[in-house]
C-alpha cells in the first residue's frame, strides 16, 4: 500500500501483521514500559517529528477516538483497516480481517435486517456498524461514543417488568448491580462466571446483593463438564487438561417468571443460545446479546432469533467507537 517508513500506534495482533509487510520504525504504546517490541523502538507521541506517517492500530473499543487524537498532531494518519482492506490475506486470522471477510458474505442479508428493528436509533447504529465492517473505514465509527459501562439497561429494557436476571459472562458483576438498581423488585440474579479471578471480583462487588447466586460455570448447549485454560478474557475451552468447569444451559436456569438473559461470553453466545431452545419461545423472556466476538456472530444470532414463535421487538446498540461492544436486544 505504501513504501514509506511508518510508526504504529498501539500494539496488538494487527500491529504484528503490519510489521511483516510495512517498514515500521517505531511503536507508540502507552501501556508498556518496554524500550522496544519485536526489536522496534517504543517511543512516545512527544518524540514524533513533524510530517511523519502514523498507522492507527487501535481497533477494539476506541478506534475512532485514537484516529481523531492522532490527526490533531499533524502528519499523515492511516488506519490499519486501510491495509487490511487492500490485502486481507496479509492479516489473516486477525479480528478486523476476519470481520471484514465475513461481512463481504453477509452484508446483503444483514442489510435487510434493518427493517426489523423497532426504532430509528437501532437502524442508524446498525447500518454504521455494518458499513464499518464492510469497508474498514474508521469514519463510519465517528458517530459513536465509548459507553461500555452503560450497556444493556436501556430505557426500552428497564420499562419491562423483569423479575430475574441470568448474567452470562459477568466479569466483575457490574451488570448484576445495575439490574438490581433498575429493577428494585427483582426476585433473583444468577451470575455465571467460569473465571476464578473474576469470581473474586464479583463476590466483593455483589456481596450486598440479595437473592443472588454466583456459579462457577459457563453457559452452553447442554448440561455437562468442560475444561478451561487461562483466566478472564484469555480463558479458552480445551478438550483436555485445564480446570474442570460446569456447563449449564439457559433453559435449566431460567425462572418461571419474566427473565432477562444477558450474554457477553467471548464468542460462546451462539452455543449458549442453542441451550435456550425452550426459552426462545417464552413470551416473558428477553435477551441482550453481545454480537461481535466471532466474524459471523451477528448473522447467526439474528437468524436464531427469527426462529422464535414469540413476536419480539428488536433493538441494536453499539457502545464503543471500535469494532467491539455491539449488542442485539430481543424483548
Amino acid at each position: 500500500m505504501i513504501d514509506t517508513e511508518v510508526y504504529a500506534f498501539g500494539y496488538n495482533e494487527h500491529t504484528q501483521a503490519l510489521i511483516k509487510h510495512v517498514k515500521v520504525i517505531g511503536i507508540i504504546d502507552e501501556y508498556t514500559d518496554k524500550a522496544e517490541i519485536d526489536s522496534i523502538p517504543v517511543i512516545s507521541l512527544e518524540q514524533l517529528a513533524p510530517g511523519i506517517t502514523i498507522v492507527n492500530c487501535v481497533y477494539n473499543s476506541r478506534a475512532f477516538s485514537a484516529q481523531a487524537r492522532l490527526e490533531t498532531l499533524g502528519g499523515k494518519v492511516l488506519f490499519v483497516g486501510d491495509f487490511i482492506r487492500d490485502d486481507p490475506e496479509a492479516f489473516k486470522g486477525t479480528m478486523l480481517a476476519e470481520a471484514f471477510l465475513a461481512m463481504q458474505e453477509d452484508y446483503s442479508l444483514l442489510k435487510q435486517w434493518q427493517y426489523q428493528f423497532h426504532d430509528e436509533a437501532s437502524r442508524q447504529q446498525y447500518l454504521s456498524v455494518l458499513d464499518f465492517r464492510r469497508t474498514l473505514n474508521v469514519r463510519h465509527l465517528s458517530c459513536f461514543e465509548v459507553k461500555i459501562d452503560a450497556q444493556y439497561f436501556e430505557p426500552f429494557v428497564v420499562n419491562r417488568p423483569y423479575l430475574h436476571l441470568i448474567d452470562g459472562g459477568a466479569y466483575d458483576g457490574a451488570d448484576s448491580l445495575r439490574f438490581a438498581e433498575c429493577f428494585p423488585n427483582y426476585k433473583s440474579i444468577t451470575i455465571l462466571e467460569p473465571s476464578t479471578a473474576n469470581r473474586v471480583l464479583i463476590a466483593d462487588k455483589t456481596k450486598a446483593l440479595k437473592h443472588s447466586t454466583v456459579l462457577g460455570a459457563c453457559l452452553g448447549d447442554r448440561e455437562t463438564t468442560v475444561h478451561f485454560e487461562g483466566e478472564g478474557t484469555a480463558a479458552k475451552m480445551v478438550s483436555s487438561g485445564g480446570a474442570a468447569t460446569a456447563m449449564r444451559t439457559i433453559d435449566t436456569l431460567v425462572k418461571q417468571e419474566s427473565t432477562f438473559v444477558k450474554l457477553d461470553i467471548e464468542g460462546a453466545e451462539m452455543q449458549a443460545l442453542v441451550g435456550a431452545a425452550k426459552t426462545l419461545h417464552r413470551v416473558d423472556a428477553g435477551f441482550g446479546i453481545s454480537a461481535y466476538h466471532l466474524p459471523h456472530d451477528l448473522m447467526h444470532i439474528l437468524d436464531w432469533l427469527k426462529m422464535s414463535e414469540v413476536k419480539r421487538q428488536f433493538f441494536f446498540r453499539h457502545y464503543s467507537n471500535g469494532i467491539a461492544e455491539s449488542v442485539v436486544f430481543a424483548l
Side-chain angles (χ1 to χ4, degrees):
M1 181 178 177
I2 60 173
D3 55 9
T4 188
E5 297 175 336
V6 304
Y7 293 85
F9 184 74
Y11 184 78
N12 51 51
E13 60 183 359
H14 302 91
T15 319
Q16 293 170 348
L18 182 74
I19 289 168
K20 297 176 182 178
H21 301 281
V22 178
K23 186 168 180 56
V24 177
I25 59 172
I27 295 173
I28 307 153
D29 189 328
E30 299 172 314
Y31 300 96
T32 184
D33 295 325
K34 295 179 180 179
E36 60 179 40
I37 299 175
D38 292 343
S39 301
I40 299 171
V42 174
I43 64 170
S44 67
L45 287 173
E46 291 74 20
Q47 293 175 278
L48 294 176
I52 50 83
T53 299
I54 304 175
V55 180
N56 173 22
C57 295
V58 177
Y59 72 100
N60 203 17
S61 297
R62 292 173 169 82
F64 184 77
S65 294
Q67 189 79 10
R69 177 186 176 195
L70 294 173
E71 288 174 354
T72 66
L73 303 177
K76 186 176 184 180
V77 182
L78 301 172
F79 180 56
V80 68
D82 303 333
F83 294 83
I84 297 171
R85 184 175 58 247
D86 287 351
D87 188 4
E89 185 64 25
F91 292 81
K92 186 176 181 180
T94 64
M95 186 172 188
L96 285 179
E98 296 305 308
F100 172 75
L101 293 172
M103 192 53 67
Q104 309 314 304
E105 298 177 29
D106 297 346
Y107 180 75
S108 59
L109 291 175
L110 284 173
K111 188 176 181 182
Q112 295 303 310
W113 242 95
Q114 65 178 297
Y115 305 110
Q116 303 296 319
F117 289 110
H118 190 69
D119 65 341
E120 184 60 26
S122 291
R123 289 185 284 274
Q124 291 178 356
Q125 292 190 31
Y126 177 75
L127 290 175
S128 292
V129 169
L130 293 192
D131 285 339
F132 170 70
R133 286 173 166 259
R134 181 174 61 90
T135 67
L136 296 186
N137 182 341
V138 74
R139 302 289 169 191
H140 287 300
L141 300 175
S142 63
C143 57
F144 296 109
E145 298 176 9
V146 180
K147 299 191 297 182
I148 296 171
D149 294 336
Q151 292 186 80
Y152 299 109
F153 299 105
E154 297 281 348
F156 51 75
V157 174
V158 176
N159 67 12
R160 288 167 163 79
Y162 293 119
L163 295 173
H164 306 275
L165 170 69
I166 295 177
D167 190 350
Y171 181 53
D172 64 356
D175 292 328
S176 289
L177 287 175
R178 292 187 62 220
F179 178 84
E181 292 172 3
C182 295
F183 300 93
N185 296 319
Y186 77 93
K187 293 185 177 181
S188 77
I189 295 174
T190 303
I191 303 169
L192 294 101
E193 178 54 62
S195 164
T196 302
N198 286 355
R199 289 200 304 278
V200 173
L201 294 175
I202 292 167
D204 181 63
K205 184 166 282 192
T206 65
K207 57 188 175 185
L209 274 186
K210 299 177 181 179
H211 315 302
S212 64
T213 303
V214 181
L215 301 178
C218 63
L219 286 169
D221 56 358
R222 62 196 184 280
E223 297 274 323
T224 187
T225 299
V226 295
H227 294 82
F228 274 87
E229 283 184 349
E231 281 289 340
T233 58
K236 61 181 180 179
M237 200 180 299
V238 293
S239 57
S240 61
T245 304
M247 177 182 282
R248 305 295 307 275
T249 69
I250 293 170
D251 281 344
T252 59
L253 293 171
V254 74
K255 306 297 182 182
Q256 296 304 312
E257 295 176 296
S258 55
T259 302
F260 183 65
V261 179
K262 168 238 160 173
L263 294 178
D264 186 358
I265 47 179
E266 305 301 325
E269 286 81 7
M270 269 309 306
Q271 185 179 8
L273 291 173
V274 171
K278 295 178 181 178
T279 306
L280 174 65
H281 304 298
R282 286 186 48 164
V283 70
D284 57 353
F287 298 87
I289 309 166
S290 288
Y292 66 90
H293 290 108
L294 299 182
H296 294 283
D297 264 357
L298 193 52
M299 174 67 81
H300 293 163
I301 289 167
L302 292 173
D303 281 347
W304 183 85
L305 291 170
K306 282 196 302 187
M307 296 189 301
S308 177
E309 298 170 357
V310 177
K311 186 174 177 59
R312 288 188 170 89
Q313 292 180 347
F314 298 108
F315 298 86
F316 181 91
R317 291 294 186 270
H318 189 72
Y319 296 96
S320 81
N321 57 48
I323 196 171
E325 316 305 340
S326 292
V327 178
V328 171
F329 296 88
L331 309 170

